[in-house]
Amino acid sequence: VQFPRQAGVVASDYRLTASMLATRAIEACHGIDHCKVFYLNGDSTFPSDRAAKDSFAAAMRGAPGNVSFAGSQDGKYDTATGRSVMQSELQRDPDLTVLVSFADQQTLGAAQAIGAAGRTSQVKILSFGGSQQAVTAVASGKWYGAQLTMPFSIGQTGAQIAITKAQGKTVTKSA
């Protein structure tokens, strides 16, 4: 607890999330001679997103020799921005092999750009969020994978903390 009278905290570890996405990107590169990975960050003005971007880059430094980190730009959690960034990136680096995106909304736009460039079968897409569109894209084989966040469970945990505190009970620590 960070503040007096604060009942609890419900949070996600974006460093760990980004590191896990990097591990999945490296797995996606298995068997590819020269695999280029691009990271579509959320918004670098947010400390949590900067931490995620730094964690992703650090994990990529440990990748095998066939894998290179092609760079990162912000998608701003926006479909149109994700599409625009991906269009530019594909023009700059047409040999891009893996896209990792930190939010499904921007991934949808990036996937549109990849499709418009005729690169759907060449670029493996990994996303973070677990939206219905992402789950459908993974299940259909359009996307390589998606890491899920559980907003219902997060909200449920926050509500349970509030209810427990309102009942005058002590909030116990949880994992």
Side-chain angles (χ1 to χ4, degrees), residues 127-148:
S127 190
F128 173 59
S131 67
Q132 192 169 25
Q133 297 96 325
V135 171
T136 299
V138 173
S140 71
K142 291 180 182 177
W143 292 6
Y144 181 79
Q147 191 161 320
L148 304 180

Side-chain angles (χ1 to χ4, degrees), residues 149-160:
T149 184
M150 306 301 278
F152 182 84
S153 297
I154 292 168
Q156 188 176 36
T157 301
Q160 188 58 53

Side-chain angles (χ1 to χ4, degrees), residues 85-117:
V85 168
M86 197 76 253
Q87 287 168 339
S88 296
E89 189 58 28
L90 288 170
Q91 289 172 2
R92 187 185 73 78
D93 191 351
D95 296 326
L96 192 69
T97 317
V98 177
L99 163 68
V100 177
S101 175
F102 204 61
D104 289 347
Q105 309 92 306
Q106 62 196 26
T107 311
L108 294 169
Q112 292 168 0
I114 291 166

